[in-house]
């Protein structure tokens, strides 16, 4: 009851706080004929049930363009820039959840059978495999932590351990160097970091005209390069990484792509005859060279409101186990809370690719138009923007103290493997039914997946992804006699071609991701008051995870400068799912065998919610307890 009242109190503050800040005066700017300067101030205030304030983000963005005209042999020269700075006050206003005082002491489950079942023990209260190889509670105190996954599920007989959640300058436990190590100011002022993200875009455009009439158009600088035709889930649009910590998967990609330093050149051939009697209405060849230092997706650091798949919490907790040791619930014999020492299990480090020519990314695209049909053919070689956990690192045996590479030990380094992609897209406008159809597909090689059947606990697989979508305007006279509603639907599919999974004594083992899965989305958007009032609802349903997100909102353009958007985001479904957690992988044979004669390094399939169930739950299922109401106010100038 107390939790519900707390949530309602913050929800009321959400509505009051955002509306008040939106009325702050902003000075507008006037653009000269060859110079354009505009921007906006925005406040986004979100309230999350059971948590309270989950976002109080204030954004100031400035966009400018300077047209220089002809410069030497180049024409249409212009310089463009976008500056963005944000301050998210949630880390100050709700610091017990997300700031300096977040987290606390924890209890970990111990389901050992009689005669003396403990049920729960404090962090530091588990059994130690041998007295000499435990951890120092003073080095890893029972404070400032949550239990991994506690916001979504109970421990329920599975693996659990403590995860520090305070900013890394307050508590550096589990902060992985150069990857997930944000301090308080980097959380509050996200763009002001070592990568100078406040310079959101800065590029120069210029054309080189040929006597044939063809044009070489080039954009050089910090930018977003958009491939593909999909919304919400990306298939071809993988050149720029994405900041999922901003609002999980629900913000517009335009706002959450992370711009990179890129050279993009388009050789525009216009109408082109390929052979007698067949000509394209337009044909274009594009080269993209991302020469920036590698950057992965921002998946969210544990202690932030948005941590996609809760993966950042798993990483931070595992790094803390490696660096400092810790207690793991229900581990020994699959039921006894166990204390591990440093360097025995966990995540050792992240291998962030340094800058080199071989670590840059290169893409090619051929696109054209033929009548009502548009198409593209795409190829890209790049580094995976999602992390891969590779086992097979040296670690200490908790029973003997020997250091070696142990089969199927849950000890990892993080890598970002090289991935090659080929694919294409088609869009077609059917005049007869006034509908746009969209198809996009990609085939990748080199991606890596967790796999408890392999000694290094990962394997590589080719993957096919695709999306099929349609957009249509439909009149619904009962709701609006004058303007049509936009209906936009799409089905996103993923197929892991080298999927491995098999039944073992205690359950399934292998790759936790679904071999085949589909996510369906539907947008319905209406328009009233000459387009100034626009209600909409977006739904997304994960077929295999049986998880659904529903996001209704209404946008009101008060005048040409001021816009209010009120919305919500609700999730329903099965929630957390279980999978083989490798407690029964027997790395330190015979001490960790769960049945007589179990081969070393071979999982028996004992399962729990953590850590691999998240891949079956998906991003929607892992966010089941993150229902929010949202109010955004924007003043443009």
């Amino acid at each position: 009851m107390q939790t519900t009242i707390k949530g309602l109190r913050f929800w009321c503050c959400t509505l009051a706080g955002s509306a008040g800040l939106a009325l702050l005066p902003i000075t507008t700017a006037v653009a000269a004929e060859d110079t354009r300067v505009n921007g906006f101030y925005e406040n986004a205030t979100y309230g999350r049930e059971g948590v309270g304030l989950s976002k109080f983000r204030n954004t100031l963005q400035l966009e400018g363009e300077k047209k220089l005209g002809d410069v030497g042999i180049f024409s249409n020269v212009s310089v463009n820039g976008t500056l963005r700075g944000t301050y998210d006050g949630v880390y100050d206003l709700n610091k017990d959840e997300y700031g300096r005082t977040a987290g606390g002491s924890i209890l970990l489950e111990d389901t050992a059978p009689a005669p003396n079942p403990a049920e729960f023990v404090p962090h530091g209260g588990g059994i130690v495999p041998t007295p000499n190889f435990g951890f120092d509670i003073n080095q890893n105190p029972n404070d400032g932590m949550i239990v991994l996954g506690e916001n979504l599920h109970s421990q329920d007989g599975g693996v659990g351990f403590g995860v520090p959640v305070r900013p890394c300058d307050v508590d550096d436990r589990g902060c992985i160097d150069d990857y997930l190590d944000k301090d308080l100011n980097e959380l509050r002022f996200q763009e002001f970091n070592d990568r100078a993200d406040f310079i959101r875009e800065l590029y120069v455009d210029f054309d080189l005209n040929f006597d044939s009439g063809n044009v070489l158009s080039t954009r050089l600088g910090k930018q977003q390069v958009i491939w593909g035709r999909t919304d919400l889930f990306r298939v071809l649009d993988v050149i720029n990484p994405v900041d999922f910590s901003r609002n999980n998967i629900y913000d517009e990609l335009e706002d959450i792509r992370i711009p990179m330093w890129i050279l993009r050149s388009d050789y525009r051939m216009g109408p082109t005859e390929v052979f007698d009697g067949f000509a394209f209405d337009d044909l274009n060849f594009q080269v993209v060279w991302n020469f920036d230092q590698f950057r992965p997706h921002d998946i969210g650091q544990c202690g932030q409101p948005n941590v996609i798949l809760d993966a950042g919490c798993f990483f931070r907790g595992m790094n803390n186990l490696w660096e400092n040791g810790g207690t793991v619930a229900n581990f020994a014999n699959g039921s006894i809370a166990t204390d591990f020492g440093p360097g025995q299990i966990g995540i050792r480090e992240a291998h962030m690719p340094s800058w080199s020519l071989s670590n840059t990314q290169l893409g090619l695209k051929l696109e054209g138009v033929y009548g009502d049909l548009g198409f593209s053919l795409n190829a890209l070689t790049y580094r995976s923007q999602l992390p891969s956990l590779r086992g097979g690192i040296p670690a200490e045996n908790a029973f003997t103290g020997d250091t070696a590479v142990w089969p199927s030990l849950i000890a990892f380094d993080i890598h970002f493997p090289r991935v090659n992609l080929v694919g294409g897209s088609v869009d077609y406008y059917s005049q007869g039914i006034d509908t746009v159809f969209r198809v996009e597909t990609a085939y990748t090689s080199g991606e890596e997946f967790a796999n408890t059947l392999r000694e290094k606990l990962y394997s590589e697989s080719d993957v096919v992804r695709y999306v099929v979508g349609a957009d249509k305007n439909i009149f619904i006279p009962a709701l609006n006699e004058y303007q049509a509603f936009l209906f936009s639907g799409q089905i996103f599919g993923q197929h892991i071609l080298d999927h491995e999974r098999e039944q073992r004594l205690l359950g399934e083992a292998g790759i936790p991701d679904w071999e085949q899965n589909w996510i369906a989305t539907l947008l319905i958007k209406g328009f009233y008051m000459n387009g100034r009032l626009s209600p909409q609802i977006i739904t997304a349903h994960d077929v295999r995870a049986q998880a659904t997100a529903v996001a209704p909102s209404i946008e009101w353009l008060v005048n040409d400068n001021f816009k209010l958007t009120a919305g919500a985001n609700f999730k329903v479904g099965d929630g957390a799912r279980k999978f083989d957690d490798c407690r029964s992988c027997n790395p330190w044979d015979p001490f960790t065998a769960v049945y007589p004669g179990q081969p070393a390094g071979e999982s028996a399939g004992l399962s729990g919610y953590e850590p691999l169930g998240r891949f079956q739950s998906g991003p929607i299922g892992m966010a089941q307890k993150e229902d929010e109401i949202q109010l955004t106010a924007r003043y443009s100038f």
Side-chain angles (χ1 to χ4, degrees):
M1 182 62 153
Q2 184 176 1
T3 299
T4 303
I5 292 173
K6 180 183 178 185
L8 291 174
R9 181 171 68 248
F10 273 100
W11 284 19
C12 292
C13 292
T14 294
L15 299 176
S18 184
L21 279 176
L23 300 178
L24 290 174
I26 300 290
T27 303
T28 59
V30 179
E33 185 174 344
D34 60 350
T35 303
R36 174 188 57 83
V37 179
N38 53 34
F40 64 83
Y41 163 76
E42 179 183 271
N43 172 266
T45 305
Y46 296 177
R48 183 173 295 173
E49 185 176 10
V51 171
L53 193 68
S54 58
K55 188 183 300 294
F56 193 72
R57 186 182 66 217
N58 300 273
T59 303
L60 180 62
Q61 181 163 310
L62 299 174
E63 303 170 2
E65 178 186 30
K66 175 68 174 178
K67 295 181 179 179
L68 302 176
D70 295 339
V71 178
I73 63 172
F74 301 108
S75 61
N76 298 322
V77 180
S78 65
V79 179
N80 301 264
T82 299
L83 304 179
R84 185 173 82 180
T86 62
Y87 162 64
D88 194 342
V90 71
Y91 300 101
D92 298 313
L93 299 175
N94 196 7
K95 60 185 179 181
D96 288 346
E97 292 287 345
Y98 302 115
R100 289 182 173 275
T101 55
S105 60
I106 61 171
L107 293 174
L108 294 160
E109 198 173 59
D110 186 316
T111 55
N116 296 307
E119 295 186 358
F120 287 93
V121 299
H123 169 72
I127 66 165
V128 183
T130 62
N132 298 321
F133 305 122
F135 76 97
D136 182 356
I137 191 67
N138 295 312
Q139 185 175 342
N140 190 10
N142 190 11
D143 186 36
M145 292 196 290
I146 62 171
V147 178
L148 180 66
E150 70 173 35
N151 295 327
L152 180 62
H153 56 75
S154 65
Q155 296 172 52
D156 194 30
V159 166
F161 47 81
V163 183
V165 291
R166 294 172 182 171
C168 289
D169 57 332
V170 179
D171 184 352
D172 65 358
R173 290 178 297 169
C175 295
I176 302 174
D177 289 344
D178 299 323
Y179 182 41
L180 295 171
D181 58 353
K182 298 176 185 175
D183 62 28
L184 181 58
N185 279 335
E186 288 173 324
L187 297 174
R188 292 187 296 191
F189 306 100
Q190 194 161 355
E191 284 82 9
F192 297 93
N193 52 35
D194 295 340
R195 300 295 289 262
D197 284 343
F198 68 91
I199 305 174
R200 180 145 183 83
E201 294 184 338
L202 182 61
Y203 56 83
V204 57
D205 284 335
F206 52 91
D207 295 342
L208 181 62
N209 299 300
F210 296 93
D211 294 339
S212 63
N214 296 344
V215 179
L216 181 66
S217 295
T218 299
R219 174 170 292 180
L220 174 61
K222 195 173 188 180
Q223 59 182 291
Q224 302 180 47
V225 175
I226 303 169
W227 278 7
R229 294 162 166 82
T230 58
D231 301 314
L232 201 63
F233 297 98
R234 308 190 312 162
V235 176
L236 293 173
D237 185 17
V238 295
I239 294 175
N240 293 84
V242 170
D243 181 5
F244 291 111
S245 74
R246 191 169 172 90
N247 191 27
N248 207 310
I249 61 175
Y250 303 108
D251 271 5
E252 295 287 343
L253 283 169
E254 175 71 20
D255 294 325
I256 62 176
R257 286 191 197 91
I258 300 174
M260 303 287 283
W261 292 97
I262 293 173
L263 171 67
R264 190 195 78 191
S265 287
D266 293 87
Y267 186 65
R268 304 187 184 279
M269 293 168 274
T272 302
E273 185 174 11
V274 180
F275 49 82
D276 289 343
F278 183 84
F280 290 105
D281 298 306
D282 190 36
L283 198 62
N284 175 51
F285 180 73
Q286 182 181 92
V287 177
V288 176
W289 180 33
N290 181 349
F291 56 86
D292 205 346
Q293 183 176 349
F294 169 78
R295 190 162 185 180
H297 293 315
D298 188 338
I299 60 174
Q301 177 173 294
C302 202
Q304 291 189 266
N306 295 297
V307 184
I308 190 168
L309 283 176
D310 206 38
C313 288
F314 171 59
F315 291 162
R316 187 168 183 179
M318 287 286 280
N319 180 253
N320 183 42
L321 285 174
W322 180 268
E323 295 289 340
N324 303 305
T327 305
V328 181
N330 301 313
F331 199 92
N333 293 330
S335 62
I336 305 172
T338 306
D339 288 354
F340 289 95
Q344 295 175 0
I345 61 173
I347 291 176
R348 182 176 64 173
E349 62 181 323
H351 294 267
M352 304 299 293
S354 58
W355 192 94
S356 68
L357 192 61
S358 61
N359 279 334
T360 60
Q361 305 173 63
L362 182 66
L364 305 174
K365 180 174 75 167
L366 177 68
E367 61 180 343
V369 176
Y370 180 75
D372 293 328
L373 182 73
F375 72 92
S376 73
L377 300 173
N378 307 67
L380 179 70
T381 178
Y382 66 107
R383 286 277 186 176
S384 172
Q385 296 151 347
L386 286 172
S388 172
L389 293 181
R390 296 180 181 176
I393 67 170
E396 181 184 70
N397 186 315
F399 293 89
T400 66
D402 296 332
T403 297
V405 175
W406 310 100
S408 299
L409 179 67
I410 49 176
F412 308 96
D413 281 351
I414 294 175
H415 291 262
F416 298 90
R418 171 68 64 174
V419 176
N420 296 312
L421 174 151
V422 293
S425 65
V426 173
D427 61 70
Y428 174 71
Y429 174 62
S430 175
Q431 299 186 31
I433 57 175
D434 188 28
T435 302
V436 175
F437 295 95
R438 296 173 282 114
V439 178
E440 185 174 334
T441 186
Y443 181 99
T444 63
S445 60
E447 293 190 57
E448 295 176 357
F449 297 86
N451 187 346
T452 59
L453 295 177
R454 300 292 187 94
E455 285 194 357
K456 293 187 177 181
L457 298 179
Y458 80 97
S459 63
E460 185 179 302
S461 176
D462 295 352
V463 183
V464 172
R465 295 183 179 90
Y466 58 86
V467 65
V468 179
D471 306 314
K472 181 175 177 59
N473 292 315
I474 300 175
F475 274 97
I476 307 177
L479 298 178
N480 191 333
E481 297 181 357
Y482 307 104
Q483 287 185 284
F485 287 77
L486 171 64
F487 283 71
S488 178
Q490 60 183 10
I491 297 177
F492 170 82
Q494 175 175 286
H495 300 262
I496 300 174
L497 301 182
D498 303 304
H499 194 267
E500 295 181 357
R501 190 183 293 184
E502 64 183 55
Q503 185 68 34
R504 292 290 174 83
L505 180 66
L506 301 177
E508 285 189 318
I511 296 178
D513 300 71
W514 302 103
E515 181 177 6
Q516 303 178 57
N517 194 18
W518 301 267
I519 297 176
T521 69
L522 177 65
L523 163 69
I524 304 174
K525 187 176 182 67
F527 304 90
Y528 295 88
M529 299 169 52
N530 294 321
R532 289 190 175 273
L533 188 68
S534 180
Q536 72 174 31
I537 184 167
I538 300 174
T539 60
H541 177 69
D542 188 322
V543 173
R544 299 302 299 272
Q546 288 297 294
T548 303
V550 182
S553 66
I554 185 166
E555 181 180 284
W556 178 28
L557 187 60
V558 181
N559 55 45
D560 291 343
N561 301 100
F562 183 44
K563 180 175 69 176
L564 282 173
T565 304
N569 192 302
F570 304 110
K571 296 92 176 172
V572 295
D574 292 344
R577 289 172 173 264
K578 294 184 177 182
F579 194 75
D580 180 19
D581 54 28
C582 222
R583 278 177 292 172
S584 59
C585 279
N586 192 24
W588 296 319
D589 187 60
F591 307 104
T592 51
V594 296
Y595 62 87
Q598 180 186 3
E602 183 175 289
S603 175
L606 184 62
S607 66
Y609 290 125
E610 299 294 346
L612 298 182
R614 71 190 69 248
F615 296 108
Q616 298 210 324
S617 301
I620 299 174
M622 287 300 296
Q624 288 286 299
K625 303 297 185 181
E626 297 179 5
D627 292 348
E628 291 181 329
I629 63 169
Q630 306 164 346
L631 184 63
T632 302
R634 175 178 291 198
Y635 185 88
S636 301
F637 55 91

